Structures are given as structure tokens and as C-alpha cells.
Amino acid sequence: MPKNKIAANGGLSASRARADEARHLMNTYKRPPIVFTRGRGCRVYDSNGREYLDFLAGIAVNALGHAHPRLVRTIRREAGRAIHTSNLFHNPFQGPLAKKLAKWSGLSRVFFTNSGTEAIDGALKLARAYANAKASVGGGGNSSVAKKTRILALENSFHGRTFGAVSITYPAKYREPFAPLVPGTEFVKFNDVPDLERKFDDSVCALVVETIQGEGGIFPVSQEFWQRARELATQHDSALIADEIQCGLGRTGRYFAYQALGSLPDVVAVAKPLAGGLPLGAFIANEKFAAAFTPGMHGTTFGGGPLVCATALEFLTVVEEEELLANIRGRGAELRTGIEKLAGKFDFIREVRGEGLMLGVDLSVDGAPFIAEALRSGLIMNCTHEHILRLLPAFIIKQRDVEEFLAKFETVLARTAKSLENSRSQTQKTETHAQPMTVAAAR
């Protein structure tokens, strides 16, 4: 294949790329037959040059859209200096980035990871380390002292794919193929304070809460539940861990979603948008829990390298300097109001949930046909729990992008509803015509 052909497509031909995937990739993803090759702002382009309005942003990752000029400049600059030096040595960006994350979160100390699921695993290890250290001091070697090792998580939760994270992820389809998992996990009914109180005792070392459940369908935790969780964690000297991998770092129009709930967690896990599309996660803890880690207890080869930390620092700076939190709140309000108006036209829209630019459109019908029609219409979103359309656009969207989305979305809803109705009518006709034959055959 000529070099200019490869350059034009951003790689090999779409058909060749798909054929190589089919032959050599593990069978873990269901993908439409589209190969995306480039993006700019809130739009991406496939191998045929077709444009799509991106309201998924790489599942909440591309918070500044695609090819943001400030991120591109930073990546180019640092790639020419040092991509990786290892955590055996200092680099110029870990400290400043940790300082800014501490400021944003109201917490104290940071550990950098490669991903969100690793951030969750690290946070669980930190909680266990704190509990074990306290037990070794307070127990005085007394083996009769109860082990403080239990972990509470919430029903409907999703925390990641590594063994620790998947052990506290609720849906059985994620856990059962890999059983047995990390022992000592129990699930609390979502936003059910009495159930939380029944299950929380001195054997609990950590409670993990998504402040807004993402994969679970955009369900915000209630203020009552959060406050009681905070009280119980303090009472039992356990870690309250906030999973803000999807909802954190600005997506709700606040630096962190828990900042609307009135009290801080002990630890918060972040990842998705942190380095603007490059792989970087972190967990941030207060001084009390952070002190449980000493040199050699935890580590990572790639987490917090100079390239990704420089890019993350630039991302956070852009959010501040361009006052994107205000844009998130404004565009999020416009988007939600527009969808709620559409709910008056389409009775299969049951509810619109979420905050800022993290919204879920709950349907009374299967969501997959709507996602397929949206893609055909040049619109990218996705579906969770089979019936909840999830919207996670970039922080930089403009009013005209919201207006374009709403117009396309209305068309998608109308076309899909009509198609489903025609399909039902055809099925009913087929069943009606088939009935006499069935009866005659029975005779």
C-alpha cells in the first residue's frame, strides 16, 4: 500500500484494519463496521471522511474534545524531551499536578496510576493498609481482635475490570466469569440508608461510592445517603472512598461531584479525562489515610510519567483559565431542558437524570436501535443497562453544538420509533395470518 494512502486514512484501509482485528484481537468488543481516523473539537471523522457529532467523548475521556491545540502542543513538546523516566526518579510534573489535584479535591496526597480500575485497586489497598496498621497497634498482637477487612459497595455499581475493582462491581455478568474474587465484599442497596446502617460495623475498612453511577445508568447518590455514609465511616474509622472516575474533574460543573453533598471523602479515585485522552488515573487521600503507605508498599511502572503528567496539568489549567465549569453548567442545562421537551413528544422517554454534561435518558424500550440510528445519522452516544442512553460530551461544546444535537436526536427518536412501530405491525400481521394454519395443523 502506498505511503500516502496510509497517511490519508490514518492507518491501513478500514477493511484491512477490521480483518486484522477479526483474526488477531481477543473477542471482547462488539463494534459497528466503522473506523475512526481523526477528530477535531467535538467532531470525529471515519475512514471515508464522514463527520460525526461526538456526544460520548471516548466515554468521558476527551473532555477537551479531539486534537485540542494546547494539549497537542504539550504532547509534542514533552515527547521530544522525555516520555518515561520511571518512578525511581523525580520528574518536573508529578509534584505540580499533585498539588493542583489536592487543591481541586480538598484532600492532601496523590498516587498516580495508569487507569481508573488501578486507582480503585490502589484505594482499596490503602484502606486495608490503614486498617491493618491500626489493628497491629491497637490489638497488641491479640489474635482475638476482629479483622477490619470488609468492603462495602453499592448495588448497581461499576468500578472497573481488575480483580479488586470487579469484586466491588455489582452486576453478576462482570463478576461471575472470574469467581472466586476478592473476599469480604458486601453490597448495599443504592441510596438505602437503613440497609447501609445494618451492614456497616467495625469490621468494615472501606465503603466505596460512585457519587453518580455511570455505567449503572446515571444515578446520583442522595445527600442523605452520602452524609450518613460519612458519619458511619468516621464512627468506625473506615475509609469513605468516592469513585469519581467518570463524574469527576469537572463533568458535573464542579471539580468533583461530592462537592455538592456537603462533606469530603477520605479518598477519591479519578481517571478518564485527567490527561485529555492519554492513560492516567490517580487516587487522592487525606493525610490520615495517605500515611498508611510507606516506601515499597505500592508502586507502578508507567503511572505518572512526565508526558502524561504534563498533559494532565495542561488539561486542568485549561479548565481553569477558560472557565469551562461555567460552560459545562450552561450547556448541560440547555441539553437537559431540550431533552425534557422531547420527552413530551415521545412517551417512551421515562426520565432524564444527571448533572452538568453527564446525562442519562431512560427509555421504556430497548436502547440499541436508537444508538444504531444515531450512528447512521452522524451522532455518537451509547447505551447502558440496555435502555439508558448516555450523553458525555466534551466540556468545550457550544450552544450551537447542543442545538445540533437536539435536532439530530429528535430525528433519531422519530425514525426509530416509526421503525419499531412498523416492525411490531408486521409481526402482528404475520402472527394473524399464521394463526389459522396453526389451528388447522393442530386438528
Side-chain angles (χ1 to χ4, degrees):
M1 181 178 290
K3 289 183 179 180
N4 62 345
K5 182 69 172 178
I6 294 175
N9 284 342
L12 298 174
S13 70
S15 59
R16 174 67 181 277
R18 293 199 303 268
D20 287 349
E21 286 186 7
R23 173 64 183 85
H24 297 291
L25 282 186
M26 292 191 186
N27 184 25
T28 56
Y29 300 109
K30 292 181 179 179
R31 292 168 168 162
I34 296 172
V35 177
F36 289 123
T37 58
R38 63 186 178 91
R40 175 71 63 178
C42 297
R43 292 157 202 282
V44 292
Y45 301 86
D46 66 19
S47 54
N48 295 317
R50 189 184 179 201
E51 180 182 283
Y52 300 76
L53 180 61
D54 184 2
F55 263 54
L56 186 60
I59 317 179
V61 168
N62 301 314
L64 298 185
H66 302 272
H68 190 281
R70 289 179 60 169
L71 296 189
V72 170
R73 281 197 299 271
T74 301
I75 292 168
R76 284 175 173 165
R77 183 191 72 219
E78 296 308 320
R81 292 179 176 176
I83 294 173
H84 177 75
T85 58
S86 92
N87 282 304
L88 296 176
F89 305 98
H90 300 284
N91 75 56
F93 304 107
Q94 275 196 5
L97 178 57
K99 179 181 178 180
K100 193 173 284 288
L101 286 172
K103 178 183 175 183
W104 275 31
S105 66
L107 300 172
S108 301
R109 295 186 180 271
V110 180
F111 183 93
F112 291 111
T113 68
N114 303 292
S115 64
T117 191
E118 290 177 43
I120 289 294
D121 269 27
L124 296 178
K125 287 178 68 177
L126 184 64
R128 282 268 180 91
Y130 175 84
N132 288 341
K134 293 282 286 188
S136 65
V137 173
N142 186 351
S143 61
S144 66
V145 175
K147 287 283 189 180
K148 193 178 184 67
T149 58
R150 288 175 62 229
I151 299 167
L152 299 182
L154 302 189
E155 293 186 359
N156 206 41
S157 61
F158 181 92
H159 297 289
R161 306 281 190 165
T162 51
F163 262 98
V166 82
S167 297
I168 60 171
T169 289
Y170 181 72
K173 66 180 181 179
Y174 297 119
R175 290 184 289 110
E176 288 180 350
F178 311 106
L181 299 174
V182 176
T185 296
E186 189 170 0
F187 293 99
V188 175
K189 294 177 182 177
F190 185 72
N191 279 340
D192 189 326
V193 172
D195 194 46
L196 175 66
E197 292 172 337
R198 281 192 296 271
K199 292 172 180 173
F200 209 129
D201 59 27
D202 276 337
S203 68
V204 172
C205 70
L207 166 65
V208 188
V209 178
E210 290 170 277
T211 31
I212 300 178
Q213 291 187 331
E215 295 293 326
I218 319 298
F219 287 98
V221 71
S222 70
Q223 187 162 23
E224 179 189 13
F225 187 91
W226 178 262
Q227 292 292 8
R228 189 61 181 133
R230 176 67 276 170
E231 292 166 0
L232 289 167
T234 301
Q235 175 185 334
H236 295 285
D237 200 19
S238 307
L240 175 58
I241 301 173
D243 178 344
E244 297 226 359
I245 291 165
Q246 190 168 135
C247 66
L249 299 177
R251 182 148 294 278
T252 63
R254 298 178 177 85
Y255 289 141
F256 289 90
Y258 62 72
Q259 290 166 338
L261 299 174
S263 56
L264 295 176
D266 298 298
V267 186
V268 60
V270 296
K272 286 183 178 290
L274 180 53
L278 297 179
L280 181 64
F283 55 99
I284 314 163
N286 59 27
E287 288 284 0
K288 182 176 84 168
F289 280 90
F293 273 177
T294 57
M297 287 183 68
H298 193 52
T300 173
T301 295
F302 293 105
L307 173 65
V308 290
C309 282
T311 307
L313 192 59
E314 187 69 7
F315 161 68
L316 299 182
T317 302
V318 169
V319 171
E320 291 176 334
E321 292 181 353
E322 298 187 7
E323 299 181 342
L324 291 182
L325 294 187
N327 188 64
I328 292 164
R329 292 191 295 269
R331 303 295 78 76
E334 293 167 358
L335 185 58
R336 183 169 191 147
T337 297
I339 298 171
E340 287 173 344
K341 287 181 180 177
L342 291 177
K345 297 182 180 181
F346 301 97
D347 60 5
F348 51 80
I349 296 179
R350 292 192 291 204
E351 186 181 11
V352 183
R353 293 187 298 270
E355 188 177 0
L357 293 177
M358 183 179 185
L359 297 177
V361 184
D362 198 342
L363 308 180
S364 60
V365 294
D366 181 19
F370 295 88
I371 298 302
E373 181 59 38
L375 205 55
R376 286 191 290 268
S377 301
L379 186 62
I380 300 174
M381 52 187 181
N382 85 327
C383 182
T384 69
H385 274 227
E386 285 78 51
H387 59 88
I388 301 164
L389 307 182
R390 179 170 51 169
L391 308 177
L392 300 163
F395 297 177
I396 60 171
I397 63 169
K398 296 178 170 55
Q399 186 176 29
R400 63 176 179 267
D401 298 318
V402 174
E403 291 170 353
E404 180 182 346
F405 170 84
L406 291 171
K408 287 186 173 182
F409 190 47
E410 182 172 8
T411 301
V412 167
L413 295 173
R415 285 178 179 170
T416 309
K418 184 176 180 180
S419 176
L420 292 174
E421 182 59 36
N422 289 341
S423 178
R424 281 194 294 268
S425 297
Q426 186 61 40
T427 300
Q428 289 171 355
K429 288 179 182 179
T430 301
E431 290 175 348
T432 300
H433 292 153
Q435 188 63 31
M437 296 177 62
T438 303
V439 172
R443 288 175 182 169

